[in-house]
Amino acid sequence: MPEQHTIFSLHYIGTRFRNARLPVEVLSDLPAFRDLLVSYAKDEWRRRHSDRARVPKGFDKSLSFDLITIEDGSAIPKLEWNRNSAQVNLPGFADEIEEIVEVAYEDVVSLIDGQSGRVTALNAEKIRALNRFGAGLRDNETIELASRKSMGVVHLDAVRRKQLITGARETYLTRVEGAGELIGTYVPSEYQGTIVVRTVAYGNISIPVDPLQIYEEFANELNNDVQFELLVELDSQDRFRGVADVFDVQVVFDEVRAAFVKCSQRVAEIGALANGWHDGNGNRIVDASLALTRSFLQARPQYCSVYRIYPTEAGAVLIDFEINGWDYSLEFTVDGGIEMYGIQVSGDSEMEPLKFTNLDALLVEFDSRVSADG
């Protein structure tokens, strides 16, 4: 009889995950999911062995998982429980461990689904795992888990994840990208340093930075712009509490900053247009279009030097740009949507119009187009 394989699938849904792509920033979800599963497996072991105060030595190591494939649809990483590891670390218990893993998985599904009963309260171990599992999810992105019993499919998105964590403690961790003005640098010792960045979303935030990096990159850049990607701690009202981890932080170069300022001024000019600005025609540019345009410029300032920005008579904003032999157009429409299309400058290829309901989805397509065409 062939050996049965215990495999769990995490179904990532969103534009970033198309064609079985799994961005490296979400790879940390896999060990976090494993840790959450292990915590519930410990609960199940204790239920079965109430005469024992602790799980046996080697229990954690018996719950080893391997990433065996990433399937399309959008992206479905598959994790297989390593039975051999259980046989080595807990000889004679492999069958029971397999049963426990299956029960633990259903407990994770029940947790996300909001079911009570068997699922225990979120202790510190589970909170640590949840604070890493799904931390990089953006708007309109979801991780689906399918019950192996009768509960169907449950969905973990940024909102549900926040609800779970803040239901057990005051704050939660999430990954953010942003930009702000560098207003301070501090190096209290040779082993630690901090820069202070003024942001629109979170006010002044202190970001830990290696002292050598402060001296080399930030010391002479006060009042200049800084881009960052961080794991931050927020409260249930999304108020900033602190930085938990730093993935990237860098000064925006002078030429990029100058182009960004020029584009921002152009958007301000367009935003000041009144009804009838085009020979008696032309609607005033709607606030939603202006806000999306500004957010796009902030998200991709490195290309500001090639952007050409225009108003449309309907009240939208149009950005044209040529890059790597293609002429692209981005229209930030009056209803808060975005449309992207383009043609090859010296060729017959075309990019058919694509519509996006949010900026994150556009940025994925934008980055793939610019990278692919380069």
Side-chain angles (χ1 to χ4, degrees):
M1 180 176 173
E3 180 180 323
Q4 297 295 315
H5 298 280
T6 302
I7 299 173
F8 301 103
S9 300
L10 307 180
H11 188 176
Y12 283 78
I13 298 176
T15 305
R16 285 194 300 164
F17 311 118
R18 290 186 310 178
N19 302 319
R21 293 176 178 267
L22 201 64
V24 294
E25 59 263 29
V26 303
L27 289 176
S28 57
D29 285 358
L30 306 185
F33 170 75
R34 180 262 176 195
D35 290 348
L36 186 60
L37 202 64
V38 168
S39 182
Y40 278 109
K42 290 178 180 177
D43 293 345
E44 178 61 17
W45 174 274
R46 295 186 186 102
R47 287 190 189 100
R48 294 175 175 229
H49 302 273
S50 57
D51 57 322
R52 300 188 183 185
R54 299 179 180 180
V55 296
K57 182 179 179 180
F59 185 84
D60 277 27
K61 291 183 179 180
S62 72
L63 294 170
S64 176
F65 292 84
D66 301 317
L67 176 63
I68 57 173
T69 188
I70 300 177
E71 294 183 352
D72 197 0
S74 298
I76 307 176
K78 290 183 170 289
L79 303 176
E80 180 181 348
W81 171 63
N82 191 321
R83 185 181 181 88
N84 290 335
S85 179
Q87 290 173 335
V88 169
N89 290 284
L90 279 180
F93 284 93
D95 289 342
E96 183 177 7
I97 294 298
E98 183 174 14
E99 294 175 4
I100 287 174
V101 169
E102 291 284 359
V103 172
Y105 175 77
E106 291 302 319
D107 285 345
V108 172
V109 171
S110 297
L111 169 71
I112 296 172
D113 194 44
Q115 295 191 24
S116 57
R118 279 180 47 86
V119 177
T120 57
L122 291 177
N123 57 19
E125 186 178 48
K126 295 178 178 64
I127 290 293
R128 285 196 300 271
L130 273 174
N131 261 325
R132 292 180 290 121
F133 184 43
L137 287 175
R138 299 174 178 175
D139 291 341
N140 299 307
E141 293 181 348
T142 303
I143 303 173
E144 287 187 351
L145 298 177
S147 170
R148 291 148 111 84
K149 294 184 178 179
S150 59
M151 285 182 286
V153 176
V154 298
H155 305 82
L156 180 72
D157 59 13
V159 174
R160 179 59 183 147
R161 179 178 168 275
K162 172 185 172 181
Q163 291 173 341
L164 288 172
I165 299 172
T166 56
R169 56 173 295 174
E170 294 182 357
T171 62
Y172 71 105
L173 300 182
T174 188
R175 192 166 182 147
V176 300
E177 297 179 41
E181 179 187 0
L182 180 65
I183 61 173
T185 61
Y186 301 95
V187 184
S189 77
E190 62 179 313
Y191 302 108
Q192 60 182 349
T194 302
I195 65 172
V196 181
V197 178
R198 178 183 291 128
T199 71
V200 174
Y202 304 116
N204 297 347
I205 63 175
S206 296
I207 303 175
V209 177
D210 181 83
L212 183 60
Q213 186 181 4
I214 290 179
Y215 290 131
E216 292 180 345
E217 300 178 22
F218 297 100
N220 298 316
E221 299 293 341
L222 288 179
N223 304 122
N224 288 329
D225 293 332
V226 170
Q227 285 185 304
F228 53 78
E229 186 172 358
L230 310 169
L231 186 68
V232 301
E233 184 178 20
L234 305 178
D235 66 16
S236 59
Q237 303 301 312
D238 288 335
R239 291 184 292 252
F240 178 82
R241 292 291 188 90
V243 175
D245 201 357
V246 180
F247 304 112
D248 185 46
V249 58
Q250 57 185 315
V251 175
V252 180
F253 295 119
D254 289 342
E255 58 269 23
V256 174
R257 184 164 51 251
F260 173 79
V261 170
K262 185 177 180 180
C263 285
S264 298
Q265 291 171 342
R266 174 61 173 162
V267 173
E269 293 171 0
I270 290 175
L273 294 173
N275 286 325
W277 56 267
H278 186 55
D279 296 329
N281 297 314
N283 295 330
R284 173 185 173 274
I285 310 304
V286 300
D287 291 340
S289 181
L290 292 168
L292 267 175
T293 303
R294 294 190 184 100
S295 295
F296 172 74
L297 296 179
Q298 291 173 349
R300 294 297 179 268
Q302 61 268 43
Y303 301 106
C304 278
S305 61
V306 299
Y307 297 153
R308 304 183 302 275
I309 307 175
Y310 309 101
T312 73
E313 289 191 33
V317 177
L318 183 69
I319 297 181
D320 290 336
F321 60 97
E322 288 187 22
I323 190 166
N324 301 323
W326 280 74
D327 189 347
Y328 290 108
S329 294
L330 296 173
E331 184 172 349
F332 298 89
T333 59
V334 296
D335 60 357
I338 312 167
E339 188 170 285
M340 182 178 183
Y341 48 91
I343 59 172
Q344 195 173 23
V345 176
S346 299
D348 299 327
S349 298
E350 294 185 12
M351 174 189 174
E352 295 294 328
L354 292 178
K355 295 184 179 180
F356 307 92
T357 58
N358 62 83
L359 183 61
D360 283 339
L362 166 69
L363 293 178
V364 173
E365 184 68 28
F366 178 91
D367 291 344
S368 67
R369 291 277 175 177
V370 171
S371 174
D373 297 336

